[in-house]
Amino acid sequence: MGSRVDTKNDDGAAPVLLLVGSSGGHLAQLLALRPWYERWQRCWVTFDTPEAVSLLAGEDLVPAHHPTTRNVPNLLRNALLAWRVLRARRVAAVVTTGAGVAVPFVVLARLRRIPTVYIEVYDRIDTPTLTARLCRPFLSAMLVQWDEQRRQYPEATVVGTLL
């Protein structure tokens, strides 16, 4: 597994792109952005699953607490984790595809005036995801993968499908 959260503030470090997402499809969609993010120093926040660890081998990986669905204790644990990560690293922006793990990172990043970008998942065309609805007030940018998703997010930018 990648690095654990270093609680020392590293003011001299290069800015990092914080990529936050649940494992599985959310992570797969973030990984599809590789041509865009590969020039950035980056840190990943996802679940400590065998698949995620394998896909992110060699990357800076901070394990998040799961499950997140309707799990208030893990929401609080991830909020504390977000606070620690955002204090310990010079984060240039937070980019996420959800799901629940994204909420505390987006909210706390926005409160710290760090740009936040949410990419709505490709398989929710007719209704917004709960995570997108919770994160929306704290976003710097909302991106969608289908023109049809703009019915729910008129302010969104269509970037096309990632997968």
Side-chain angles (χ1 to χ4, degrees), residues 23-43:
S23 55
H26 294 277
L27 179 59
Q29 290 177 70
L30 284 173
L31 286 166
L33 295 170
R34 183 177 304 273
W36 173 74
Y37 66 68
E38 66 187 351
R39 64 186 176 93
W40 282 87
Q41 183 174 337
R42 58 203 167 268
C43 176

Side-chain angles (χ1 to χ4, degrees), residues 1 22-24 27 46-56 61 63-64 66:
M1 175 68 100
S22 300
S23 55
L27 179 59
T46 191
F47 304 142
D48 187 4
T49 64
E51 177 190 30
V53 170
S54 173
L55 289 169
L56 296 172
L61 178 59
H66 65 93

Side-chain angles (χ1 to χ4, degrees), residues 2-133:
S3 69
R4 299 290 175 184
V5 178
D6 182 0
T7 56
K8 293 184 297 182
N9 195 347
D10 195 1
D11 292 329
V16 307
L17 183 63
L18 192 62
L19 297 154
V20 181
S22 300
S23 55
H26 294 277
L27 179 59
Q29 290 177 70
L30 284 173
L31 286 166
L33 295 170
R34 183 177 304 273
W36 173 74
Y37 66 68
E38 66 187 351
R39 64 186 176 93
W40 282 87
Q41 183 174 337
R42 58 203 167 268
C43 176
W44 295 83
V45 177
T46 191
F47 304 142
D48 187 4
T49 64
E51 177 190 30
V53 170
S54 173
L55 289 169
L56 296 172
E59 295 281 337
D60 184 6
L61 178 59
V62 175
H65 302 278
H66 65 93
T68 56
T69 305
R70 295 179 184 90
N71 189 313
V72 174
N74 282 345
L75 173 66
L76 297 174
R77 287 183 190 104
N78 285 328
L80 181 59
L81 180 66
W83 183 76
R84 288 180 178 158
V85 169
L86 293 168
R87 279 190 66 233
R89 300 173 195 282
R90 191 170 150 216
V91 176
V94 173
V95 177
T96 184
T97 52
V101 67
V103 175
F105 283 88
V106 166
V107 171
L108 291 173
R110 187 59 181 217
L111 292 174
R112 293 179 61 93
R113 296 190 173 119
I114 297 169
T116 54
V117 179
Y118 190 94
I119 306 168
E120 182 64 292
V121 292
Y122 72 91
D123 58 344
R124 290 297 290 270
I125 297 170
D126 296 326
T127 59
T129 59
L130 175 60
T131 305
R133 287 184 292 164

